[in-house]
Amino acid sequence: MPSSQAAVLAGLGSWLPPRVVGNEEIAQRLDTSDEWIRTRTGIAERRVVDPGTSTVDLAVEAGRRALASAGESEADAVVLATSTADQLCPASAPQVATELGLNGVAAFDVNAVCSGFIYGLATGAGLIAAGIARRVLVIGADVFTSLVDPEDRGTVPIFGDGAGAVLLRAGDAGDLGALGAFDLHSEGALAELLWVEAGGAKNRRSDDPRDHYLVMQGQTVFRHACARMAESARAVLESAGWTVGDVDRFIGHQANIRILQTCVKQLGLAADVMYSNIEKVGNTSAASIPIALADAAKDGSLQPGHRVVMGAFGAGLTWGSTLLRWPDVIPG
């Protein structure tokens, strides 16, 4: 394929479960308050799935909306970024593809937790660059509340459930929506800062139920998230030949409003360049960035031609960034 072949964002969709859980509901059963949660996280409410609703359910709806946004009914591959697959084996992506009517296409999961969507975009872009696919559906979906200890006041207020998706098409590097440089990293030595100990092959069944829930060393994670996201964003800006002043929007993983604000400050970006929807959705893990993209496009914060930097940080530890000039796309 030509060297100018690029992955171009051609469709965008998101889906949130209908159940809204506000801070007051959480405060009624845990030792916390609306003020405490808002001050430390910027979150007022989040969406939580009803019993029986799964990651596949959310992913299918977001994927369907992304395809409709692009005016497409077909894709050559489905990449599902999630850390809450419906089962350990097999991956959830093949089921998502089947339910979308994409029978026989390549479909697989990518687990980089909150960085998963950026990793998924890089994977989709690579499939297109290699000539393996011309249209790739990249979905970020998580029922992350399934990993949270319902008695943990440190994590319950933070996380919500949701899904977001984009359809990437083969195009030219000069097209609006063409993904630019990627910057991806990990640091496995720090995995225990943010992890679920039990459930995998190493510790399949633990007698301590707490081992099956997320453990987070919040202050240390905060420091790493701010520094790594800023470093990664600088790297893609340099690769693209953009300056800080060129950036119209920074859309980072919606983990915590203070992390986003600190990252923007470290980058030297104007405060109004940052976009956040965390107040209404909380931290939706791999779904965070595509949901934010859809919301920003819907409310007019993203306009065609805007220079956009996306960055994420998550368990693993993993982090990464990419950028693009925003296309003329109507989200589903």
Side-chain angles (χ1 to χ4, degrees):
M1 301 186 92
S3 60
S4 62
Q5 193 75 43
V8 179
L9 194 155
L12 173 64
S14 65
W15 180 248
L16 295 168
R19 182 186 171 204
V20 178
V21 176
N23 291 344
E24 293 295 348
E25 181 177 337
I26 293 173
Q28 288 174 8
R29 62 183 181 84
L30 296 179
D31 180 21
T32 188
S33 68
D34 174 62
E35 180 183 5
W36 191 92
I37 297 169
R38 286 178 185 264
T39 301
R40 287 158 179 78
T41 68
I43 300 168
E45 61 187 41
R46 71 287 296 146
R47 302 296 186 93
V48 177
V49 298
D50 291 321
T53 301
S54 72
T55 294
V56 166
D57 296 327
L58 299 180
V60 167
E61 186 59 36
R64 182 177 291 118
R65 289 168 177 247
L67 287 167
S69 168
E72 295 277 3
S73 60
E74 299 292 336
D76 306 309
V78 175
V79 178
L80 174 62
T82 188
S83 52
T84 59
D86 283 8
Q87 56 280 315
L88 283 175
C89 177
S92 290
Q95 185 179 348
V96 172
T98 294
E99 294 197 20
L100 288 171
L102 304 175
N103 298 308
V105 306
F108 54 92
D109 293 359
V110 171
N111 184 351
V113 199
C114 296
S115 303
F117 184 70
I118 299 294
Y119 272 64
L121 287 179
T123 303
L127 291 172
I128 289 172
I132 296 170
R134 292 193 61 80
R135 292 164 298 185
V136 180
L137 185 61
V138 179
I139 306 172
D142 270 306
V143 179
F144 212 79
T145 58
S146 66
L147 299 181
V148 173
D149 182 347
E151 302 303 319
D152 182 4
R153 68 189 289 268
T155 56
V156 168
I158 295 173
F159 294 98
D161 304 325
V166 299
L167 182 70
L168 302 179
R169 65 165 176 85
D172 189 84
D175 293 345
L176 284 183
L179 295 173
F182 280 92
D183 181 74
L184 303 174
H185 297 278
S186 72
E187 180 48 84
L190 300 176
E192 293 183 26
L193 294 179
L194 191 64
W195 79 334
V196 179
E197 182 175 355
K202 185 176 181 179
N203 187 5
R204 184 73 185 92
R205 299 176 180 85
S206 171
D207 293 332
D208 188 343
R210 292 173 298 181
D211 290 344
H212 294 271
Y213 291 125
L214 180 75
V215 173
M216 181 174 67
Q217 298 183 34
Q219 290 301 316
T220 306
V221 169
F222 182 97
R223 292 195 299 271
H224 278 282
C226 296
R228 303 308 187 193
M229 284 175 64
E231 290 170 3
S232 185
R234 289 192 197 99
V236 293
L237 286 172
E238 183 177 352
S239 295
W242 293 6
T243 68
V244 168
D246 292 328
V247 179
D248 297 300
R249 290 287 178 268
F250 176 77
I251 299 187
H253 166 52
Q254 307 290 303
N256 179 305
I257 193 64
R258 293 189 299 161
I259 290 175
L260 290 169
Q261 291 169 340
T262 302
C263 182
V264 165
K265 184 176 181 180
Q266 290 183 0
L267 281 167
L269 294 169
D272 60 1
V273 168
M274 182 193 82
Y275 181 84
S276 179
N277 65 347
I278 194 173
E279 181 181 11
K280 296 294 185 181
V281 300
N283 179 343
T284 55
S285 194
S288 166
I289 289 178
I291 292 173
L293 291 174
D295 285 354
K298 289 174 184 176
D299 69 23
S301 297
L302 279 175
Q303 294 292 326
H306 270 173
R307 296 192 178 199
V308 181
V309 175
M310 297 176 278
F313 177 91
L317 298 174
T318 58
W319 62 96
S321 299
T322 190
L323 43 72
L324 78 166
R325 290 188 302 138
W326 192 249
D328 188 4
V329 61
I330 300 175

